[in-house]
Amino acid sequence: MSSLREAQKQLTRDMIVERALELFTEKGYAATTIDEIAAAAGTTRVTFYAYYPSRSDLMRDFMARVNAVLDRADGPDRASTAVELVDVVREGKLPGILAWLESRAALWPVFRPYLDVLDEAAAVDREVRTLVEGWHEEVISDIVRGMQQAGRFPEETHHIRGTLAFTQLDYVATLWTRRKLEPNRDHALEVLADSWYHLLCDEG
């Protein structure tokens, strides 16, 4: 009986998240009300708050779902949030970088809508901004860890290199998924992979 209740709770939670994502995407984060989300999910404001005491809590669930899609580790004691990314940067091979980027890009349609909403929410909600900035820093730290393990480049340049690499990836993903300004994903990824290789791996 307990497992059935848990399954029902998860279904309700999923419905709230799905309807919220649709409304945020259609109307914008600031313009969407809790009542609208609850009604679209076939529930009530009281039920919404039972699952998500605040809009920031809903955004934390959005981020958790992004991490689940990307198979990023969660929790404060992790050494790395994405071992594959660390390995790719450490190995420093262009084909490996391209393959990793292609594997992430294949998931863009699944997780980028959540990140788009999170970015929009971060502009008006300090808690969400802290959450998103922390997530960005986790990705950058994984890139940095790969360079450190390879003993590549001066230590003082690692963070800026990681930041530039992450920013490039985020921008290309945004162009492709939100603004539709880069219709040829393959070409974009090849250029991005080449940029990552020279930025993170090629000391020559």
Side-chain angles (χ1 to χ4, degrees), residues 39-64:
T43 187
T44 66
R45 168 188 279 264
V46 172
T47 299
F48 176 94
Y49 282 120
Y51 286 89
Y52 301 105
S54 71
R55 289 162 70 98
S56 297
D57 290 310
L58 178 59
M59 291 299 96
R60 275 188 277 275
D61 196 343
F62 272 37
M63 185 61 78

PDB file of all heavy atoms in Angstrom, residues 39-64:
ATOM      1  N   ALA A  39      -4.040  24.205 -11.697  1.00  0.00           N
ATOM      2  CA  ALA A  39      -5.213  23.901 -12.531  1.00  0.00           C
ATOM      3  C   ALA A  39      -4.818  23.054 -13.736  1.00  0.00           C
ATOM      4  O   ALA A  39      -5.504  22.087 -14.092  1.00  0.00           O
ATOM      5  CB  ALA A  39      -5.879  25.193 -12.980  1.00  0.00           C
ATOM      6  N   ALA A  40      -3.701  23.413 -14.375  1.00  0.00           N
ATOM      7  CA  ALA A  40      -3.243  22.654 -15.545  1.00  0.00           C
ATOM      8  C   ALA A  40      -2.881  21.228 -15.172  1.00  0.00           C
ATOM      9  O   ALA A  40      -3.033  20.298 -15.982  1.00  0.00           O
ATOM     10  CB  ALA A  40      -2.040  23.349 -16.179  1.00  0.00           C
ATOM     11  N   ALA A  41      -2.411  21.035 -13.923  1.00  0.00           N
ATOM     12  CA  ALA A  41      -2.038  19.696 -13.456  1.00  0.00           C
ATOM     13  C   ALA A  41      -3.234  18.934 -12.895  1.00  0.00           C
ATOM     14  O   ALA A  41      -3.073  17.785 -12.450  1.00  0.00           O
ATOM     15  CB  ALA A  41      -0.957  19.809 -12.384  1.00  0.00           C
ATOM     16  N   GLY A  42      -4.410  19.554 -12.895  1.00  0.00           N
ATOM     17  CA  GLY A  42      -5.609  18.889 -12.393  1.00  0.00           C
ATOM     18  C   GLY A  42      -5.627  18.753 -10.889  1.00  0.00           C
ATOM     19  O   GLY A  42      -6.214  17.808 -10.353  1.00  0.00           O
ATOM     20  N   THR A  43      -4.997  19.717 -10.207  1.00  0.00           N
ATOM     21  CA  THR A  43      -4.949  19.661  -8.760  1.00  0.00           C
ATOM     22  C   THR A  43      -5.250  21.038  -8.185  1.00  0.00           C
ATOM     23  O   THR A  43      -5.809  21.898  -8.871  1.00  0.00           O
ATOM     24  CB  THR A  43      -3.585  19.117  -8.283  1.00  0.00           C
ATOM     25  OG1 THR A  43      -3.619  18.912  -6.885  1.00  0.00           O
ATOM     26  CG2 THR A  43      -2.446  20.044  -8.650  1.00  0.00           C
ATOM     27  N   THR A  44      -4.891  21.287  -6.930  1.00  0.00           N
ATOM     28  CA  THR A  44      -5.210  22.541  -6.272  1.00  0.00           C
ATOM     29  C   THR A  44      -3.945  23.240  -5.786  1.00  0.00           C
ATOM     30  O   THR A  44      -2.875  22.633  -5.712  1.00  0.00           O
ATOM     31  CB  THR A  44      -6.124  22.306  -5.052  1.00  0.00           C
ATOM     32  OG1 THR A  44      -5.381  21.558  -4.074  1.00  0.00           O
ATOM     33  CG2 THR A  44      -7.368  21.523  -5.443  1.00  0.00           C
ATOM     34  N   ARG A  45      -4.095  24.503  -5.438  1.00  0.00           N
ATOM     35  CA  ARG A  45      -2.991  25.262  -4.862  1.00  0.00           C
ATOM     36  C   ARG A  45      -2.450  24.580  -3.596  1.00  0.00           C
ATOM     37  O   ARG A  45      -1.232  24.507  -3.382  1.00  0.00           O
ATOM     38  CB  ARG A  45      -3.463  26.678  -4.539  1.00  0.00           C
ATOM     39  CG  ARG A  45      -2.507  27.486  -3.688  1.00  0.00           C
ATOM     40  CD  ARG A  45      -3.154  28.800  -3.265  1.00  0.00           C
ATOM     41  NE  ARG A  45      -3.058  29.768  -4.334  1.00  0.00           N
ATOM     42  CZ  ARG A  45      -2.107  30.697  -4.422  1.00  0.00           C
ATOM     43  NH1 ARG A  45      -1.176  30.765  -3.479  1.00  0.00           N
ATOM     44  NH2 ARG A  45      -2.068  31.547  -5.408  1.00  0.00           N
ATOM     45  N   VAL A  46      -3.368  24.066  -2.760  1.00  0.00           N
ATOM     46  CA  VAL A  46      -2.966  23.388  -1.521  1.00  0.00           C
ATOM     47  C   VAL A  46      -2.092  22.177  -1.831  1.00  0.00           C
ATOM     48  O   VAL A  46      -1.061  21.949  -1.194  1.00  0.00           O
ATOM     49  CB  VAL A  46      -4.202  22.969  -0.696  1.00  0.00           C
ATOM     50  CG1 VAL A  46      -3.790  22.099   0.485  1.00  0.00           C
ATOM     51  CG2 VAL A  46      -4.968  24.198  -0.224  1.00  0.00           C
ATOM     52  N   THR A  47      -2.495  21.406  -2.820  1.00  0.00           N
ATOM     53  CA  THR A  47      -1.706  20.226  -3.204  1.00  0.00           C
ATOM     54  C   THR A  47      -0.357  20.642  -3.766  1.00  0.00           C
ATOM     55  O   THR A  47       0.672  20.025  -3.456  1.00  0.00           O
ATOM     56  CB  THR A  47      -2.473  19.388  -4.238  1.00  0.00           C
ATOM     57  OG1 THR A  47      -3.699  18.952  -3.664  1.00  0.00           O
ATOM     58  CG2 THR A  47      -1.660  18.175  -4.662  1.00  0.00           C
ATOM     59  N   PHE A  48      -0.354  21.690  -4.589  1.00  0.00           N
ATOM     60  CA  PHE A  48       0.919  22.179  -5.136  1.00  0.00           C
ATOM     61  C   PHE A  48       1.896  22.488  -4.009  1.00  0.00           C
ATOM     62  O   PHE A  48       3.046  22.037  -4.035  1.00  0.00           O
ATOM     63  CB  PHE A  48       0.697  23.429  -5.992  1.00  0.00           C
ATOM     64  CG  PHE A  48       1.969  24.027  -6.513  1.00  0.00           C
ATOM     65  CD1 PHE A  48       2.445  23.684  -7.764  1.00  0.00           C
ATOM     66  CD2 PHE A  48       2.720  24.928  -5.755  1.00  0.00           C
ATOM     67  CE1 PHE A  48       3.638  24.211  -8.249  1.00  0.00           C
ATOM     68  CE2 PHE A  48       3.913  25.466  -6.219  1.00  0.00           C
ATOM     69  CZ  PHE A  48       4.369  25.109  -7.467  1.00  0.00           C
ATOM     70  N   TYR A  49       1.436  23.247  -3.028  1.00  0.00           N
ATOM     71  CA  TYR A  49       2.328  23.650  -1.942  1.00  0.00           C
ATOM     72  C   TYR A  49       2.724  22.476  -1.046  1.00  0.00           C
ATOM     73  O   TYR A  49       3.759  22.535  -0.365  1.00  0.00           O
ATOM     74  CB  TYR A  49       1.698  24.764  -1.112  1.00  0.00           C
ATOM     75  CG  TYR A  49       1.794  26.122  -1.777  1.00  0.00           C
ATOM     76  CD1 TYR A  49       0.658  26.854  -2.100  1.00  0.00           C
ATOM     77  CD2 TYR A  49       3.037  26.672  -2.080  1.00  0.00           C
ATOM     78  CE1 TYR A  49       0.746  28.102  -2.706  1.00  0.00           C
ATOM     79  CE2 TYR A  49       3.141  27.914  -2.688  1.00  0.00           C
ATOM     80  CZ  TYR A  49       2.000  28.619  -3.000  1.00  0.00           C
ATOM     81  OH  TYR A  49       2.102  29.844  -3.602  1.00  0.00           O
ATOM     82  N   ALA A  50       1.922  21.421  -1.052  1.00  0.00           N
ATOM     83  CA  ALA A  50       2.298  20.227  -0.293  1.00  0.00           C
ATOM     84  C   ALA A  50       3.535  19.569  -0.912  1.00  0.00           C
ATOM     85  O   ALA A  50       4.357  18.964  -0.204  1.00  0.00           O
ATOM     86  CB  ALA A  50       1.137  19.237  -0.248  1.00  0.00           C
ATOM     87  N   TYR A  51       3.665  19.705  -2.225  1.00  0.00           N
ATOM     88  CA  TYR A  51       4.818  19.132  -2.921  1.00  0.00           C
ATOM     89  C   TYR A  51       5.959  20.142  -3.052  1.00  0.00           C
ATOM     90  O   TYR A  51       7.137  19.781  -2.972  1.00  0.00           O
ATOM     91  CB  TYR A  51       4.406  18.648  -4.315  1.00  0.00           C
ATOM     92  CG  TYR A  51       3.592  17.392  -4.306  1.00  0.00           C
ATOM     93  CD1 TYR A  51       2.195  17.439  -4.216  1.00  0.00           C
ATOM     94  CD2 TYR A  51       4.197  16.138  -4.366  1.00  0.00           C
ATOM     95  CE1 TYR A  51       1.437  16.273  -4.197  1.00  0.00           C
ATOM     96  CE2 TYR A  51       3.456  14.970  -4.348  1.00  0.00           C
ATOM     97  CZ  TYR A  51       2.072  15.045  -4.256  1.00  0.00           C
ATOM     98  OH  TYR A  51       1.326  13.895  -4.224  1.00  0.00           O
ATOM     99  N   TYR A  52       5.610  21.391  -3.285  1.00  0.00           N
ATOM    100  CA  TYR A  52       6.597  22.441  -3.512  1.00  0.00           C
ATOM    101  C   TYR A  52       6.226  23.665  -2.681  1.00  0.00           C
ATOM    102  O   TYR A  52       5.415  24.495  -3.110  1.00  0.00           O
ATOM    103  CB  TYR A  52       6.652  22.809  -5.006  1.00  0.00           C
ATOM    104  CG  TYR A  52       6.996  21.639  -5.892  1.00  0.00           C
ATOM    105  CD1 TYR A  52       6.020  21.009  -6.669  1.00  0.00           C
ATOM    106  CD2 TYR A  52       8.295  21.139  -5.943  1.00  0.00           C
ATOM    107  CE1 TYR A  52       6.337  19.922  -7.462  1.00  0.00           C
ATOM    108  CE2 TYR A  52       8.623  20.053  -6.737  1.00  0.00           C
ATOM    109  CZ  TYR A  52       7.634  19.449  -7.498  1.00  0.00           C
ATOM    110  OH  TYR A  52       7.954  18.375  -8.290  1.00  0.00           O
ATOM    111  N   PRO A  53       6.800  23.796  -1.487  1.00  0.00           N
ATOM    112  CA  PRO A  53       6.465  24.917  -0.610  1.00  0.00           C
ATOM    113  C   PRO A  53       6.739  26.291  -1.228  1.00  0.00           C
ATOM    114  O   PRO A  53       6.182  27.287  -0.774  1.00  0.00           O
ATOM    115  CB  PRO A  53       7.351  24.674   0.615  1.00  0.00           C
ATOM    116  CG  PRO A  53       7.580  23.197   0.614  1.00  0.00           C
ATOM    117  CD  PRO A  53       7.673  22.817  -0.833  1.00  0.00           C
ATOM    118  N   SER A  54       7.596  26.338  -2.245  1.00  0.00           N
ATOM    119  CA  SER A  54       7.869  27.603  -2.914  1.00  0.00           C
ATOM    120  C   SER A  54       8.197  27.328  -4.381  1.00  0.00           C
ATOM    121  O   SER A  54       8.481  26.188  -4.772  1.00  0.00           O
ATOM    122  CB  SER A  54       9.045  28.323  -2.257  1.00  0.00           C
ATOM    123  OG  SER A  54      10.254  27.641  -2.537  1.00  0.00           O
ATOM    124  N   ARG A  55       8.174  28.387  -5.185  1.00  0.00           N
ATOM    125  CA  ARG A  55       8.569  28.250  -6.590  1.00  0.00           C
ATOM    126  C   ARG A  55      10.030  27.830  -6.693  1.00  0.00           C
ATOM    127  O   ARG A  55      10.419  27.106  -7.614  1.00  0.00           O
ATOM    128  CB  ARG A  55       8.326  29.567  -7.329  1.00  0.00           C
ATOM    129  CG  ARG A  55       6.865  29.886  -7.549  1.00  0.00           C
ATOM    130  CD  ARG A  55       6.655  31.355  -7.869  1.00  0.00           C
ATOM    131  NE  ARG A  55       7.158  31.724  -9.164  1.00  0.00           N
ATOM    132  CZ  ARG A  55       6.398  31.832 -10.270  1.00  0.00           C
ATOM    133  NH1 ARG A  55       5.100  31.562 -10.209  1.00  0.00           N
ATOM    134  NH2 ARG A  55       6.915  32.202 -11.417  1.00  0.00           N
ATOM    135  N   SER A  56      10.846  28.263  -5.737  1.00  0.00           N
ATOM    136  CA  SER A  56      12.258  27.869  -5.738  1.00  0.00           C
ATOM    137  C   SER A  56      12.417  26.367  -5.553  1.00  0.00           C
ATOM    138  O   SER A  56      13.306  25.743  -6.143  1.00  0.00           O
ATOM    139  CB  SER A  56      13.017  28.609  -4.631  1.00  0.00           C
ATOM    140  OG  SER A  56      12.999  29.998  -4.856  1.00  0.00           O
ATOM    141  N   ASP A  57      11.532  25.762  -4.742  1.00  0.00           N
ATOM    142  CA  ASP A  57      11.574  24.308  -4.564  1.00  0.00           C
ATOM    143  C   ASP A  57      11.236  23.595  -5.872  1.00  0.00           C
ATOM    144  O   ASP A  57      11.828  22.560  -6.202  1.00  0.00           O
ATOM    145  CB  ASP A  57      10.596  23.880  -3.472  1.00  0.00           C
ATOM    146  CG  ASP A  57      11.052  24.309  -2.094  1.00  0.00           C
ATOM    147  OD1 ASP A  57      12.211  24.045  -1.746  1.00  0.00           O
ATOM    148  OD2 ASP A  57      10.247  24.933  -1.361  1.00  0.00           O
ATOM    149  N   LEU A  58      10.299  24.155  -6.619  1.00  0.00           N
ATOM    150  CA  LEU A  58       9.973  23.594  -7.929  1.00  0.00           C
ATOM    151  C   LEU A  58      11.184  23.694  -8.852  1.00  0.00           C
ATOM    152  O   LEU A  58      11.499  22.748  -9.587  1.00  0.00           O
ATOM    153  CB  LEU A  58       8.777  24.337  -8.529  1.00  0.00           C
ATOM    154  CG  LEU A  58       8.332  23.909  -9.931  1.00  0.00           C
ATOM    155  CD1 LEU A  58       7.942  22.433  -9.967  1.00  0.00           C
ATOM    156  CD2 LEU A  58       7.164  24.788 -10.401  1.00  0.00           C
ATOM    157  N   MET A  59      11.893  24.814  -8.800  1.00  0.00           N
ATOM    158  CA  MET A  59      13.082  24.978  -9.634  1.00  0.00           C
ATOM    159  C   MET A  59      14.186  24.000  -9.235  1.00  0.00           C
ATOM    160  O   MET A  59      14.937  23.513 -10.076  1.00  0.00           O
ATOM    161  CB  MET A  59      13.596  26.410  -9.561  1.00  0.00           C
ATOM    162  CG  MET A  59      12.688  27.450 -10.219  1.00  0.00           C
ATOM    163  SD  MET A  59      12.425  27.173 -11.999  1.00  0.00           S
ATOM    164  CE  MET A  59      10.857  26.275 -11.974  1.00  0.00           C
ATOM    165  N   ARG A  60      14.271  23.672  -7.938  1.00  0.00           N
ATOM    166  CA  ARG A  60      15.250  22.670  -7.509  1.00  0.00           C
ATOM    167  C   ARG A  60      14.917  21.306  -8.098  1.00  0.00           C
ATOM    168  O   ARG A  60      15.820  20.533  -8.446  1.00  0.00           O
ATOM    169  CB  ARG A  60      15.309  22.614  -5.987  1.00  0.00           C
ATOM    170  CG  ARG A  60      16.239  23.646  -5.377  1.00  0.00           C
ATOM    171  CD  ARG A  60      16.422  23.436  -3.886  1.00  0.00           C
ATOM    172  NE  ARG A  60      15.325  24.032  -3.148  1.00  0.00           N
ATOM    173  CZ  ARG A  60      15.282  25.318  -2.793  1.00  0.00           C
ATOM    174  NH1 ARG A  60      16.270  26.119  -3.107  1.00  0.00           N
ATOM    175  NH2 ARG A  60      14.248  25.803  -2.115  1.00  0.00           N
ATOM    176  N   ASP A  61      13.628  21.007  -8.221  1.00  0.00           N
ATOM    177  CA  ASP A  61      13.224  19.755  -8.866  1.00  0.00           C
ATOM    178  C   ASP A  61      13.585  19.791 -10.345  1.00  0.00           C
ATOM    179  O   ASP A  61      14.040  18.795 -10.913  1.00  0.00           O
ATOM    180  CB  ASP A  61      11.719  19.521  -8.681  1.00  0.00           C
ATOM    181  CG  ASP A  61      11.311  18.078  -8.970  1.00  0.00           C
ATOM    182  OD1 ASP A  61      12.090  17.344  -9.609  1.00  0.00           O
ATOM    183  OD2 ASP A  61      10.206  17.682  -8.558  1.00  0.00           O
ATOM    184  N   PHE A  62      13.400  20.948 -10.982  1.00  0.00           N
ATOM    185  CA  PHE A  62      13.820  21.089 -12.381  1.00  0.00           C
ATOM    186  C   PHE A  62      15.303  20.744 -12.512  1.00  0.00           C
ATOM    187  O   PHE A  62      15.710  20.002 -13.407  1.00  0.00           O
ATOM    188  CB  PHE A  62      13.580  22.527 -12.858  1.00  0.00           C
ATOM    189  CG  PHE A  62      12.215  22.785 -13.424  1.00  0.00           C
ATOM    190  CD1 PHE A  62      11.087  22.174 -12.889  1.00  0.00           C
ATOM    191  CD2 PHE A  62      12.039  23.659 -14.482  1.00  0.00           C
ATOM    192  CE1 PHE A  62       9.823  22.414 -13.405  1.00  0.00           C
ATOM    193  CE2 PHE A  62      10.785  23.911 -15.018  1.00  0.00           C
ATOM    194  CZ  PHE A  62       9.684  23.295 -14.473  1.00  0.00           C
ATOM    195  N   MET A  63      16.125  21.298 -11.616  1.00  0.00           N
ATOM    196  CA  MET A  63      17.556  21.056 -11.698  1.00  0.00           C
ATOM    197  C   MET A  63      17.882  19.588 -11.436  1.00  0.00           C
ATOM    198  O   MET A  63      18.768  19.008 -12.090  1.00  0.00           O
ATOM    199  CB  MET A  63      18.300  21.945 -10.697  1.00  0.00           C
ATOM    200  CG  MET A  63      19.813  21.846 -10.791  1.00  0.00           C
ATOM    201  SD  MET A  63      20.450  22.356 -12.417  1.00  0.00           S
ATOM    202  CE  MET A  63      20.371  24.147 -12.242  1.00  0.00           C
ATOM    203  N   ALA A  64      17.177  18.970 -10.504  1.00  0.00           N
ATOM    204  CA  ALA A  64      17.403  17.551 -10.225  1.00  0.00           C
ATOM    205  C   ALA A  64      17.102  16.706 -11.455  1.00  0.00           C
ATOM    206  O   ALA A  64      17.791  15.718 -11.729  1.00  0.00           O
ATOM    207  CB  ALA A  64      16.539  17.099  -9.052  1.00  0.00           C
TER     208      ALA A  64
END
